[in-house]
Amino acid sequence: MENQELRIEKIQSILEEALAMVKIGALATESCIIDEDLQMRDNTDYYHLFRHINALLTNIRHTIDS
């Protein structure tokens, strides 16, 4: 039972990070952010964001399957 609780805690933490990344990505568009250093300018910025979110979600799937 303790192992399952640890897995749930880990999943919750990863989900919170994934949600934060989605919110950051939504805010980092040219229409929302005034600071040019924080704006996503090209597909490379989006690629890195989505790659990180995908890694987080894959980590959740592996944690659930373990």
Side-chain angles (χ1 to χ4, degrees):
M1 188 65 140
E2 184 176 321
N3 186 32
Q4 185 176 10
E5 290 174 8
L6 291 173
R7 287 176 34 204
I8 290 171
E9 286 179 20
K10 182 177 180 180
I11 290 168
Q12 287 174 330
S13 173
I14 297 168
L15 280 173
E16 288 176 18
E17 184 176 353
L19 288 170
M21 295 299 296
V22 169
K23 290 178 182 179
I24 289 168
L27 289 173
T29 61
E30 292 181 30
S31 63
C32 296
I33 299 287
I34 296 172
D35 187 341
E36 289 188 28
D37 290 334
L38 297 176
Q39 289 179 357
M40 292 186 156
R41 292 186 194 90
D42 59 23
N43 291 336
T44 304
D45 290 338
Y46 287 103
Y47 167 77
H48 289 293
L49 174 70
F50 288 124
R51 184 174 181 196
H52 186 76
I53 293 170
N54 184 62
L56 293 170
L57 296 175
T58 301
N59 193 353
I60 289 171
R61 183 176 33 195
H62 290 306
T63 302
I64 290 171
D65 290 343
S66 64

